[in-house]
Amino acid sequence: MKVVHSGEARRASRTGSRNTGIDAPTSPDGLPLDTILRGDCVAQLSRLPARSVDLVFADPPYNLQLQGELKRPDDSRVDAVDDAWDKFESFEAYDAFTRAWLLAVRRVLKPTGTLWVIGSYHNIFRVGAMLQDLDFWILNDIVWRKTNPMPNFRGRRFTNAHETMIWAAREPGAKGYTFNYEALKAANEDVQMRSDWLFPICSGHERLKDETGHKVHPTQKPEALLARVILSASKAGDVVLDPFLGSGTTAAVAKRLGRRFIGIERDATYADAAQARIDAVETLPDLALATAPTAREAPRIAFNALIERGLLMPGTLLTDAKARVRAMVRADGMLSLETAPGLGQIGSIHRAGAIAQGLDACNGWTYWHMDTREGLRPIDSLRARVRSEMAMAAE
């Protein structure tokens, strides 16, 4: 088997023949923002400034290794991915291609930037091993479960109902990368977002079709999937890059969500379709794009501020979530425990909560509850109210 070296691997990329974007709008550091660069992905990435991109989403060729046509039980042909850009002479050729584009991506990523790569069982394990060989730091693998996967027509295997995304930081020990934990949790019924995501495959009005009604691109990803990726790992105004832009899903979603985008695509048909798609997208208003502050970013509120604002009165009894432990609010902002263990002891909301549980530490904002018409509610809801009033006053 022939080993394809880096130059040949670059030519195998589905991203490169000619470069438009020379006259594209640029940032102060020379980034061609909101542009589709037409050309080989590694060559185009080499022209971008180092450490300039916040987020990369990569949907590389999967190297599906199809052996002949796929047929349904009725002998009809399955519209499978058999394009030339997905074919490689050997695993060694695919590995050389993968190494080349990953190194190029790593160069343009900011130290605080992250990379997402999507793939199937055909390629994702090879990509994951290469990521580790190149000292990327894998943060998560995310399973995209498809609600409407293509069945296994031959009945010889399980239905392949998922794809895998790897989320990785630029290097081991990376700090400061974006993860919008609070926003994701709030959007998920106040439960931590899990690493298995359920979305349908791209279909219906979202699927790009040509004038004959055929799919423009065989592996177009659903916008909902990209929206969650971008919302989870970037902020409004960040630069999102897709080195295998295809039909333009990443760029279209990034534009709608108030991010700047750079796409790279070599196929003129794909690039033209992506550009028309992107041009039709309108960016959401700023108010709809505001990122929820993290707990560390939110302004600090002293417990005494609740008393000073009249939201809690001295003498009020607070309890734990099961109303087994009681403590009285004092005028000085301390709590006096009224039940054992800790009967009679005085401390801050955190110290009193720790004593009541026999622990070294406690988050008093979530431990202590107040009695309301709707039942017991954590005093953290009062802190949230104060923060909201402060934000409104600052506008």
Side-chain angles (χ1 to χ4, degrees):
M1 291 187 293
K2 178 184 177 184
V3 177
V4 178
H5 299 289
S6 59
E8 294 172 278
R10 289 195 291 270
R11 286 193 290 276
S13 166
R14 64 168 174 163
T15 58
S17 59
R18 63 187 179 91
N19 175 21
T20 63
I22 296 174
D23 300 321
T26 58
S27 66
D29 59 2
L31 275 178
L33 297 174
D34 304 332
T35 303
I36 299 176
L37 303 176
R38 306 191 186 205
D40 172 80
C41 68
V42 176
Q44 292 291 355
L45 286 166
S46 71
R47 297 186 177 100
L48 300 180
R51 302 187 173 203
S52 59
V53 172
D54 299 287
L55 178 67
V56 174
F57 180 85
D59 183 8
Y62 286 9
N63 192 26
L64 295 178
Q65 310 133 47
L66 295 181
Q67 305 296 322
E69 289 188 344
L70 290 180
K71 296 292 188 69
R72 296 183 178 87
D74 63 2
D75 205 39
S76 60
R77 179 178 179 274
V78 176
D79 188 14
V81 180
D82 56 4
D83 302 77
W85 50 256
D86 192 61
K87 296 177 181 178
F88 294 81
E89 294 181 13
S90 64
F91 286 126
E92 290 88 351
Y94 188 78
D95 290 346
F97 159 75
T98 301
R99 180 183 178 83
W101 74 258
L102 282 177
L103 282 172
V105 159
R106 189 173 186 215
R107 189 188 71 83
V108 302
L109 265 179
K110 292 179 180 178
T112 56
T114 56
L115 162 69
W116 292 71
V117 188
I118 189 169
S120 67
Y121 68 87
H122 304 86
N123 72 320
I124 199 64
F125 303 111
R126 306 188 79 87
V127 173
M130 188 67 69
L131 282 167
Q132 293 180 321
D133 288 346
L134 296 177
D135 283 335
F136 284 85
W137 188 251
I138 295 178
L139 301 170
N140 275 115
D141 67 322
I142 310 294
V143 175
W144 166 31
R145 294 173 51 221
K146 303 173 183 179
T147 60
N148 51 345
M150 180 182 295
N152 183 268
F153 295 107
R154 295 176 180 174
R156 302 296 298 273
R157 303 183 184 182
F158 296 107
T159 296
N160 185 26
H162 77 277
E163 292 183 29
T164 300
M165 292 184 290
I166 297 176
W167 181 36
R170 187 177 182 273
E171 55 199 15
K175 297 180 180 179
Y177 60 84
T178 297
F179 179 49
N180 296 313
Y181 169 82
E182 283 81 3
L184 290 169
K185 184 177 178 181
N188 194 42
E189 303 292 335
D190 282 326
V191 177
Q192 287 187 353
M193 186 68 71
R194 291 162 50 108
S195 61
D196 54 334
W197 298 356
L198 186 65
F199 291 109
I201 62 174
C202 185
S203 60
H205 70 280
E206 189 179 314
R207 169 68 76 170
L208 298 190
K209 302 286 185 66
D210 61 21
E211 60 277 2
T212 66
H214 291 92
K215 294 182 291 188
V216 169
H217 196 287
T219 64
Q220 181 179 337
K221 297 301 185 289
E223 291 191 3
L225 182 72
L226 267 297
R228 185 173 292 180
V229 167
I230 291 171
L231 287 171
S232 68
S234 70
K235 300 182 177 71
D238 279 357
V239 178
V240 178
L241 182 145
D242 188 331
F244 308 98
L245 187 63
S247 61
T249 304
T250 302
V253 174
K255 180 181 177 182
R256 190 176 79 244
L257 296 178
R259 277 67 169 169
R260 313 305 297 267
F261 69 84
I262 300 171
I264 306 176
E265 178 54 58
R266 79 172 182 184
D267 186 284
T269 299
Y270 296 162
D272 289 344
Q275 189 64 65
R277 178 184 185 184
I278 295 163
D279 290 343
V281 171
E282 293 188 8
T283 301
L284 293 171
D286 290 345
L287 188 60
L289 296 173
T291 303
T294 66
R296 292 183 178 180
E297 294 171 337
R300 294 181 63 85
I301 305 296
F303 177 68
N304 203 46
L306 307 185
I307 300 171
E308 294 168 349
R309 289 172 177 253
L311 299 177
L312 270 180
M313 301 299 293
T316 301
L317 286 179
L318 303 179
T319 72
D320 66 333
K322 296 182 178 180
R324 294 175 179 172
V325 179
R326 296 192 306 275
M328 179 180 289
V329 176
R330 291 164 44 99
D332 59 5
M334 305 287 272
L335 297 186
S336 176
L337 286 164
E338 295 207 339
T339 51
L343 177 63
Q345 293 198 55
I346 297 171
S348 69
I349 58 171
H350 309 299
R351 183 59 187 153
I355 292 172
Q357 299 174 86
L359 302 175
D360 293 330
C362 168
N363 182 350
W365 290 108
T366 55
Y367 178 75
W368 294 110
H369 289 62
M370 56 189 176
D371 193 13
T372 71
R373 293 179 180 178
E374 292 79 29
L376 290 176
R377 296 186 62 193
I379 59 173
D380 201 26
S381 62
L382 296 180
R383 180 172 64 164
R385 178 175 167 182
V386 173
R387 284 175 171 163
S388 177
E389 291 173 354
M390 291 172 63
M392 293 177 63
E395 292 179 356

